[in-house]
Amino acid sequence: MKKENRTMSRRNFLAVSGTIAGSTVINPKSQIFAGNVATPKQSSGKIKVALVGTGNRGAGMWGGSVVKEYFDYVDYVGLCDHNPGRLEVGSQMIGANCPTFTDFEQMMRETKPDVLIITTDDDTHDYFAEKGMEMGANIICEKPMAIDERKIQTIIDAEKRTGKECRVTFNYRYSPHRAKIWELLRSGEIGNITSVDFHWYLDTSHGADYFRRWHRLVEKGGSLWVHKASHHFDLLNWWIESDPKSVYALGNLEFYGKNGPFRGVNCRNCSHTKECNFYFDIMRNERNKRLYVDNEKYDGYHRDGCVFRNDVNIYDKMAATIKYMNGVQVSYSLTTYSPYEGYRIAFNGTKGRIDAWIQESNPTTDANYDEIIVYKNFGRRQYIQLPQGSGHGGGDKLLKDQIFIPGTTDDLKQAAGVRDGALACLVGIAARKSINSKETVFIKDLTTIKPQEKKEYRKI
Ligand SMILES: NC(=O)c1ccc[n+]([C@@H]2O[C@H](COP(=O)([O-])OP(=O)(O)OC[C@H]3O[C@@H](n4cnc5c(N)ncnc54)[C@H](O)[C@@H]3O)[C@@H](O)[C@H]2O)c1
């Protein structure tokens, strides 16, 4: 991108960040779940929270940080993981001083939480969401909500049957850069959106990491079409403000897995460490060592698995054409072995175009802001610069503020429920099915959700 005319003055920077901050101000009326069903049962007024899955995300984003930063609003009453070692270490990292359980239903029976947070492997989310709601809790579920259409239907049905609610944590919606794009699209600056070009690049560090872990198996994470791209499809659904109608997709595995020049089981026990560009020394990271290496004896899970193992059965390059109910068409791709990590997106509209990109690793400039360019068909272009945030572009903290701090509003419609969680996954599930059948797959044929021309927002 050319740099002329876009040096950010301090005044512009503050003006832009002020707009974003100003649009998420606290209002004492809203609550975590609609219908006030999460009203705390305790006299302290704090919400009783239990968590299942004390791995990386559970111990960090939803554990330690919640205990430290949201202790005025939240009481941890129970932690669960089926790996007793990781439960013990995760519990120490979280520092909640509450009982721990390897038996989930025992935890639910004995602790009776208001809210259950689910941070287990993706293939288990449906079980914990359904059981959790049946046992009286509202749910905060990490993305992806579930990895196939049958599991998605289980959660839809359980929510209806129990009257409880499941919220899905699409932290990507909360980054100021993406929130600003949503505001620009709603402002009509580029007229009606007609098409979107969206290309996401995972690099040879973070991208490769998916092929080291349980994510490499379609039966665990639904493939990156669901595990990773559901983040991207949720952004599209939210930005376009309509439901996806149909998907046609292509994909292949041609870099990792069976394509590697050699292979081992995991990096620590491999004879190819010297010649392998993907050698990963897990022992250099104390947190990874404590969470995973020290607890391999319980479940045999290698966090530093070889990216070239023959059992990798997910795609490493993917492309899809997605049609929306309001007529918008999307050209999407995901590449997993790029020299840099980030994305490029363009919205084409009847009055102009929005271009935006993020380069998260290996950046070509040392700018400390992210940029959006708004082009008018017959006018001047506008450069908008936003401060960079840490923790998924600043999204993690804003998401937790909205979930835990009473009275936080949802002006940008960022709160996502089961319908949003389902539709994001269903695009990826449809893509998988399309690759297998070589045909266009329709979202309406997958679950009881009927796609709408105008997106239904979740109310909080
Ligand atoms: N929103 C985001 O940006 C984001 C980022 C990272 C991870 N995540 C999501 O968080 C979830 C956890 O990811 P992670 O990186 O922490 O994985 P992880 O492997 O580090 O942790 C998962 C934990 O769940 C436990 N577990 C698995 N099955 C279980 C069962 N049946 N009963 C009890 N415990 C069980 C495992 O032992 C492990 O401790 C995933 O769904 C992932 O998609 C989301």
Side-chain angles (χ1 to χ4, degrees):
M1 291 281 168
K2 288 178 75 180
K3 281 207 80 171
E4 85 278 13
N5 293 335
R6 60 189 181 93
T7 313
M8 180 171 48
S9 72
R10 181 165 164 73
R11 212 175 64 192
N12 284 345
F13 183 92
L14 291 176
V16 172
S17 39
T19 310
I20 293 295
S23 56
T24 54
V25 287
I26 306 276
N27 163 337
K29 287 205 187 97
S30 63
Q31 59 248 335
I32 301 186
F33 292 97
N36 214 11
V37 283
T39 304
K41 298 182 188 98
Q42 306 194 109
S43 55
S44 67
K46 295 188 192 183
I47 293 164
K48 285 168 62 176
V49 174
L51 177 144
V52 60
T54 58
N56 185 48
R57 195 76 174 156
M61 162 84 174
W62 294 109
S65 107
V66 173
V67 169
K68 279 194 206 85
E69 293 158 40
Y70 300 89
F71 55 85
D72 280 342
Y73 317 107
V74 175
D75 250 352
Y76 261 100
V77 294
L79 300 172
C80 172
D81 199 291
H82 65 178
N83 182 313
R86 197 150 44 243
L87 176 60
E88 169 64 24
V89 173
S91 164
Q92 287 166 16
M93 289 178 175
I94 292 169
N97 197 22
C98 68
T100 58
F101 302 82
T102 49
D103 182 326
F104 171 71
E105 293 187 25
Q106 184 191 358
M107 174 177 81
M108 294 300 291
R109 265 194 314 276
E110 291 182 12
T111 68
K112 297 187 176 43
D114 300 314
V115 173
L116 170 71
I117 300 181
I118 302 173
T119 48
T120 49
D121 306 11
D122 304 346
D123 61 316
T124 64
H125 291 178
D126 59 313
Y127 166 73
F128 292 118
E130 181 184 37
K131 220 11 144 198
M133 286 190 271
E134 283 175 357
M135 296 184 79
N138 289 302
I139 306 294
I140 293 174
C141 183
E142 256 302 351
K143 55 54 56 182
M145 191 176 87
I147 61 167
D148 64 34
E149 67 275 29
R150 190 181 52 78
K151 287 171 181 280
I152 288 173
Q153 191 65 53
T154 297
I155 300 178
I156 296 171
D157 294 344
E159 197 182 47
K160 279 211 181 91
R161 192 170 67 244
T162 60
K164 293 293 170 188
E165 291 192 67
C166 174
R167 182 163 176 168
V168 182
T169 54
F170 283 124
N171 47 342
Y172 277 32
R173 290 189 188 185
Y174 292 76
S175 92
H177 185 250
R178 298 180 193 125
K180 186 67 190 172
I181 292 175
W182 186 88
E183 287 184 317
L184 287 166
L185 292 169
R186 298 292 83 75
S187 75
E189 285 274 319
I190 63 161
N192 295 329
I193 312 167
T194 55
S195 65
V196 184
D197 313 321
F198 193 12
H199 304 289
W200 201 288
Y201 311 102
L202 295 168
D203 67 13
T204 47
S205 168
H206 180 227
D209 217 31
Y210 292 107
F211 295 82
R212 291 192 180 101
R213 299 177 285 161
W214 49 261
H215 312 61
R216 75 187 186 283
L217 302 173
V218 69
E219 58 275 25
K220 292 292 291 173
S223 82
L224 295 178
W225 276 121
V226 175
H227 174 81
K228 185 67 189 171
S230 61
H231 263 314
H232 313 154
F233 299 142
D234 176 66
L235 286 174
L236 284 169
N237 299 348
W238 175 62
W239 278 327
I240 294 170
E241 213 175 33
S242 179
D243 290 341
K245 180 178 184 181
S246 64
V247 182
Y248 180 80
L250 300 171
N252 211 345
L253 172 66
E254 59 181 22
F255 187 86
Y256 298 108
K258 63 183 185 322
N259 303 288
F262 39 69
R263 58 193 45 77
V265 174
N266 65 321
C267 287
R268 266 166 301 145
N269 304 313
C270 186
S271 54
H272 301 285
T273 54
K274 291 219 163 50
E275 74 255 48
C276 185
N277 288 326
F278 292 94
Y279 171 58
F280 167 61
D281 184 0
I282 194 171
M283 301 305 276
R284 289 175 59 179
N285 180 312
E286 179 63 15
R287 180 183 160 83
N288 278 341
K289 178 186 163 302
R290 289 183 65 208
L291 276 174
Y292 304 104
V293 178
D294 293 351
N295 301 308
E296 283 171 1
K297 54 183 175 285
Y298 297 107
D299 57 11
Y301 173 58
H302 290 127
R303 169 67 181 78
D304 62 342
C306 175
V307 299
F308 297 132
R309 267 175 296 186
N310 280 318
D311 67 354
V312 172
N313 63 1
I314 59 172
Y315 304 106
D316 58 18
K317 72 167 186 186
M318 288 146 271
T321 300
I322 309 161
K323 185 159 185 190
Y324 276 76
M325 294 296 287
N326 65 359
V328 170
Q329 55 194 46
V330 174
S331 162
Y332 170 85
S333 74
L334 177 59
T335 306
T336 59
Y337 38 84
S338 169
Y340 63 83
E341 177 120 348
Y343 61 89
R344 288 174 183 274
I345 190 157
F347 297 85
N348 300 297
T350 49
K351 294 185 184 162
R353 168 178 163 107
I354 292 175
D355 271 70
W357 67 101
I358 296 274
Q359 192 157 326
E360 287 171 358
S361 73
N362 219 356
T364 46
T365 70
D366 55 7
N368 62 349
Y369 56 85
D370 296 321
E371 195 163 63
I372 300 168
I373 308 178
V374 182
Y375 296 87
K376 296 285 196 177
N377 282 353
F378 305 101
R380 288 174 66 84
R381 73 185 67 169
Q382 186 194 355
Y383 294 96
I384 299 171
Q385 291 150 347
L386 295 135
Q388 287 169 341
S390 64
H392 293 102
D396 284 351
K397 181 177 183 314
L398 293 172
L399 167 68
K400 279 183 288 192
D401 285 354
Q402 194 190 59
I403 287 184
F404 294 122
I405 300 178
T408 313
T409 57
D410 187 28
D411 301 339
L412 306 185
K413 311 289 185 201
Q414 289 153 307
V418 164
R419 194 171 194 283
D420 288 349
L423 284 167
C425 295
L426 287 172
V427 178
I429 291 164
R432 268 189 349 229
K433 288 178 175 293
S434 172
I435 295 172
N436 290 340
S437 66
K438 300 187 175 51
E439 295 196 344
T440 298
V441 174
F442 289 85
I443 301 295
K444 71 172 171 45
D445 295 338
L446 301 178
T447 65
T448 51
I449 291 179
K450 294 298 159 230
Q452 307 289 328
E453 188 176 330
K454 174 88 174 160
K455 176 179 166 40
E456 276 175 31
Y457 284 112
R458 181 180 184 279
K459 294 177 189 62
I460 64 165

